Amino acid sequence: MTDQGDSRAFDPGFKGPVVNRSCTDVLCCIVFILFIIAYIILGLIAWVHGDPRRVAYPTDSKGHFCGQKGTPNENKSILFYFNLFSCTSPSVLISLQCPTTQICVSKCPEKFLTYMEMQFPYSKDRRYLKYYSQFCKSPIVHPAKSLSQIVMDDDCPTAIFPSKPFLQRCFPDFSTKNGTLTVGNRTMFEDGNGRTRNAMELRAAAKNINKVLDAKTIGMKVFEDYATTWYWILMGLLIAMLLSWLFLLLLRFTAGFLFWVFVLGVIGIIGYGIWHCYHEYRNLQEQPNAHLSVYDLGIQTDIKMYFQLRQTWLAFSEWILKTGFVKLVTMRKHISV
């Protein structure tokens, strides 16, 4: 039937509005398809070449995992840094890796000791050698190498400091003494390279490592969440898909009912929003400084301060009223149906 109520004769050549239809946003569709393909390729590469254990376990400089069962480092679950001061480099935050030799150890150092200090009492007391060799790449039979050779070969650290395990890594044992930062009750100590360092320098290096660990911890938490809840995620996606299909099916038969529910819901939300803004506006009438404007208050870091102004709630109510009016006006044609 036409708008005038006249019947239309059958026309076998009439194809309706379908005849002039064509694809729109072709470029956007191509970009979307390319994105999906790249996403699938990236997922396949990560599945084939990735190793989630690198997120869960610390690794030494050779890529061996610390503390993983069935490996030579099974009883060495803590990562030890040879030269923690090198972690102050800005490149640490870019590469997420401290540029120093890292090995797996069973425990962290508990005292100050340099390689040179270990060499002198070696002939009289081999306990220094045995203790120091725990933090070398391989056990030391006798400390015959000079300090320069040790540094070049990178076999042992030039010095060790009192540390404690944190997140499976050896971190300096910081404490405060009379308001002063100390490491193992010392503020100054030798770094094994002939330089005297202080606790503040060591803390700067530890802070950079913490930033790297924070970035890695986020990845580890995401991986753990996916590993423990993947079946719930799949169930949620399946339920969402079924509900979407059910909604589309019901929309075919209950479109009018759902439309009026939506309209009445919008009116209800507008009414409640205006009432709440009026309620807050009235309660602030007796409050001091509530009459100030946003311009008088200026820019504040605490957003709650703006909620103490009557002007804020008046602006909210005006915005809700205008938004709701525009929403209802855009649906006026449907309301008249």
Side-chain angles (χ1 to χ4, degrees):
M1 303 291 291
T2 62
D3 294 339
Q4 291 76 18
D6 299 332
S7 60
R8 185 183 295 275
F10 174 72
D11 183 5
F14 179 72
K15 297 182 179 180
V18 182
V19 64
N20 294 323
R21 289 187 179 181
S22 61
C23 295
T24 59
D25 297 331
V26 178
L27 180 61
C28 180
C29 180
I30 294 174
V31 172
F32 180 73
I33 293 174
L34 292 177
F35 175 80
I36 296 297
I37 295 174
Y39 193 77
I40 295 174
I41 294 175
L42 181 62
L44 292 174
I45 293 175
W47 180 267
V48 174
H49 300 285
D51 192 347
R53 294 177 301 173
R54 294 187 178 275
V55 182
Y57 296 95
T59 55
D60 60 13
S61 298
K62 296 182 179 180
H64 300 150
F65 298 103
C66 298
Q68 187 183 12
K69 294 182 179 180
T71 64
N73 293 327
E74 181 176 356
N75 297 323
K76 299 178 180 181
S77 59
I78 308 172
L79 189 67
F80 173 73
Y81 299 90
F82 270 25
N83 183 12
L84 202 61
F85 291 105
S86 62
C87 301
T88 57
S89 172
S91 62
V92 174
L93 301 179
I94 300 175
S95 62
L96 297 180
Q97 188 71 26
C98 184
T100 185
T101 302
Q102 303 166 31
I103 62 171
C104 301
V105 296
S106 57
K107 64 178 182 178
C108 296
E110 299 173 350
K111 56 186 176 182
F112 289 98
L113 190 62
T114 65
Y115 182 79
M116 298 295 292
E117 291 172 346
M118 180 269 298
Q119 277 187 315
F120 291 122
Y122 158 70
S123 58
K124 298 180 180 180
D125 193 348
R126 295 181 60 89
R127 289 181 299 176
Y128 286 93
L129 174 63
K130 184 179 180 181
Y131 182 81
Y132 201 89
S133 63
Q134 297 178 87
F135 308 104
C136 297
K137 288 182 178 179
S138 57
I140 304 175
V141 179
H142 56 83
K145 290 185 177 181
S146 63
L147 179 62
S148 59
Q149 288 178 313
I150 286 292
V151 173
M152 290 180 61
D153 297 341
D154 210 17
D155 290 333
C156 295
T158 57
I160 56 177
F161 318 105
S163 307
K164 287 185 176 181
F166 178 71
L167 296 177
Q168 294 182 278
R169 288 158 176 88
C170 290
F171 279 90
D173 185 12
F174 292 115
S175 60
T176 54
K177 186 176 181 180
N178 298 326
T180 304
L181 183 68
T182 62
V183 178
N185 295 324
R186 289 191 192 180
T187 57
M188 308 293 291
F189 48 88
E190 298 291 331
D191 66 354
N193 291 313
R195 295 180 60 185
T196 302
R197 302 276 192 164
N198 57 53
M200 296 297 294
E201 294 179 79
L202 200 57
R203 187 176 69 172
K207 278 187 175 181
N208 272 0
I209 296 180
N210 279 332
K211 293 178 181 178
V212 173
L213 292 179
D214 288 341
K216 292 186 176 181
T217 301
I218 294 175
M220 181 173 66
K221 288 182 179 179
V222 172
F223 169 74
E224 289 177 350
D225 289 343
Y226 276 113
T228 56
T229 62
W230 63 270
Y231 47 92
W232 289 108
I233 296 175
L234 290 179
M235 289 177 60
L237 292 174
L238 181 61
I239 293 174
M241 182 177 64
L242 293 176
L243 290 178
S244 299
W245 286 346
L246 181 63
F247 176 78
L248 293 175
L249 183 63
L250 293 176
L251 191 63
R252 180 178 179 85
F253 304 100
T254 61
F257 172 75
L258 293 178
F259 170 77
W260 283 109
V261 169
F262 177 75
V263 171
L264 295 177
V266 170
I267 296 175
I269 293 173
I270 293 173
Y272 173 78
I274 294 176
W275 174 85
H276 182 75
C277 292
Y278 171 74
H279 180 73
E280 294 291 337
Y281 180 85
R282 187 181 60 180
N283 290 339
L284 290 173
Q285 287 183 351
E286 305 298 330
Q287 299 294 331
N289 299 326
H291 64 281
L292 296 176
S293 66
V294 176
Y295 298 101
D296 295 331
L297 190 62
I299 300 175
Q300 302 291 331
T301 56
D302 188 3
I303 195 173
K304 293 181 180 178
M305 297 183 65
Y306 295 103
F307 295 130
Q308 304 301 320
L309 302 178
R310 288 187 297 171
Q311 187 187 53
T312 302
W313 295 104
L314 186 63
F316 279 166
S317 62
E318 184 179 358
W319 176 80
I320 292 173
L321 186 60
K322 289 182 178 179
T323 304
F325 178 76
V326 171
K327 177 64 72 173
L328 292 176
V329 167
T330 56
M331 297 187 298
R332 67 187 185 278
K333 294 183 179 180
H334 299 282
I335 294 176
S336 62
V337 174

